[in-house]
Amino acid sequence: MTTVFIDGESGTTGLGIRERLGAIPQVTLKSLPSDRRRDPSARRDIMAEVDLIVLCLPDDAARESAAMAASLGSAAPKVLDASTAHRVAPDWVYGFAEMLPGQAERIAAAQNVSNPGCYPTGAIGLIRPLVDAGLIPADYPITINAVSGYSGGGKAMIQAHDTAHGPAFELYGLGLEHKHVPETQLYGGLTRRPIFVPAVGHYLKGMLVSVPLHLDTLPGKPGGADLRAVLEARYAGCDLVRVVAPPADGKLEPEALNDTDRLELYVLANEKHRQAVLVARLDNLGKGASGAAVQNIALMLGLHTGVGARELVDA
């Protein structure tokens, strides 16, 4: 048995992680009474009792909790941070297990792991293999467009949509300073800062991330089949990440992977016009948040080197 403490378990991601971990027989969850969750001594004591802590906190609070855990020295638990506080920190391992060969092993060996953002999971999953293969230059002017269900916006946005029915669709982050850009650039292998335009729709969860490309501006002027071959080679044998054939009707809707921990990748090309769009589809609360967290927890605790939370239940 292994023990886990979720620091900030009442938020959307924390509740999702707790639900998934609660179904895994190898894991015992530890909690603090609600009146002691802000008590530093109580939090430090419980950190010393567990094998791993999960930080589902605002960035400043996550940094504080990570420092508190590290102060325990040899008694320090492993730490998985679901905030953005440590995603580009050089001494933290990025928790996208399929991103690179050997990344799952790096996560398994790490003391501190940062859980990826939902949008970057889709964008990096599409871009990084093509940059590594030289089909997209590192300084290419990448544009990323994405739409998510409103659950990705936190309690205030969820309440606004649930009670006031929110707008049907809206762009946001139009100051081009979205907090997910630094990790997308770093782990996407990009030297030029990408333009990222996120949007939210009036539905609970589900996400599409798209990257348009002019094929004749890429080295060697590849076709859609070349792009797809690189993605297929990178993710061959992966259980949660799949390269999928283009839909026959030319449409993709964002909710098809809801309540799964999967990530689907598409290459949609028009060879006549030498244009393509790369698309990633995922549940922003699954592979984009809680599902990825439980996958990382499993690796960090040596529970199972396979795939997602649901597979661990019967492992």
Side-chain angles (χ1 to χ4, degrees):
M1 296 295 294
T2 56
T3 52
V4 174
F5 167 54
I6 304 172
D7 198 358
E9 64 180 21
S10 62
T12 303
T13 298
L15 290 171
I17 294 170
R18 184 174 183 84
E19 179 183 0
R20 284 168 163 82
L21 289 179
I24 299 172
Q26 304 98 312
V27 173
T28 297
L29 289 165
K30 290 192 173 259
S31 296
L32 287 172
S34 58
D35 61 345
R36 301 198 68 195
R37 289 176 184 169
R38 295 182 181 272
D39 181 345
S41 63
R43 290 168 60 232
R44 194 173 190 278
D45 288 345
I46 198 169
M47 287 180 184
E49 297 173 1
V50 300
D51 300 299
L52 183 145
I53 63 171
V54 185
L55 306 181
C56 297
L57 302 165
D59 285 4
D60 287 344
R63 293 186 187 98
E64 177 187 328
S65 283
M68 182 182 292
S71 73
L72 293 168
S74 61
K78 291 192 171 189
V79 180
L80 176 69
D81 185 6
S83 80
T84 61
H86 298 101
R87 288 188 187 155
V88 296
D91 51 343
W92 286 64
V93 173
Y94 194 60
F96 187 172
E98 298 86 1
M99 180 177 73
L100 295 170
Q103 190 70 10
E105 289 76 13
R106 285 185 279 273
I107 293 166
Q111 179 70 18
N112 298 314
V113 174
S114 58
N115 209 53
C118 50
Y119 290 124
T121 296
I124 294 164
L126 293 166
I127 295 167
R128 181 60 181 267
L130 299 173
V131 172
D132 289 346
L135 270 67
I136 293 179
D139 63 350
Y140 192 81
I142 288 284
T143 297
I144 302 163
N145 301 290
V147 60
S148 173
Y150 60 80
S151 59
K155 290 182 179 179
M157 182 176 287
I158 292 171
Q159 183 176 13
H161 278 265
D162 282 347
T163 60
H165 301 292
F169 179 90
E170 63 179 343
L171 299 178
Y172 69 100
L174 294 177
L176 303 181
E177 292 286 356
H178 195 281
K179 64 182 181 179
H180 286 170
V181 172
E183 67 184 284
T184 301
Q185 179 178 353
L186 177 62
Y187 297 110
L190 301 171
T191 58
R192 184 193 296 262
R193 192 176 189 273
I195 294 175
F196 174 48
V197 184
V200 63
H202 184 58
Y203 63 95
L204 181 62
K205 56 186 178 179
M207 175 173 284
L208 294 172
V209 180
S210 61
V211 180
L213 297 170
H214 290 276
L215 297 175
D216 286 347
T217 67
L218 300 177
K221 300 185 178 181
D226 301 308
L227 304 179
R228 181 182 172 112
V230 168
L231 294 178
E232 288 177 336
R234 172 61 56 91
Y235 301 112
C238 292
D239 293 286
L240 292 179
V241 183
R242 304 279 179 86
V243 181
V244 182
D249 61 0
K251 299 177 183 178
L252 284 172
E253 57 89 10
E255 298 178 279
L257 295 183
N258 283 2
D259 301 315
T260 80
D261 296 331
R262 301 200 307 274
L263 170 64
E264 290 181 348
L265 305 177
Y266 296 82
V267 177
L268 310 165
N270 184 312
E271 301 296 344
K272 174 184 175 182
H273 297 297
R274 301 294 296 148
Q275 295 175 327
V277 61
L278 313 175
V279 182
R281 176 160 61 182
L282 64 157
D283 180 348
N284 57 286
L285 297 183
K287 184 62 170 167
S290 302
V294 173
Q295 182 184 12
N296 287 323
I297 291 167
L299 289 166
M300 295 170 76
L301 295 178
L303 299 179
H304 183 39
T305 56
V307 286
R310 288 164 180 79
E311 286 78 4
L312 282 169
V313 174
D314 299 320

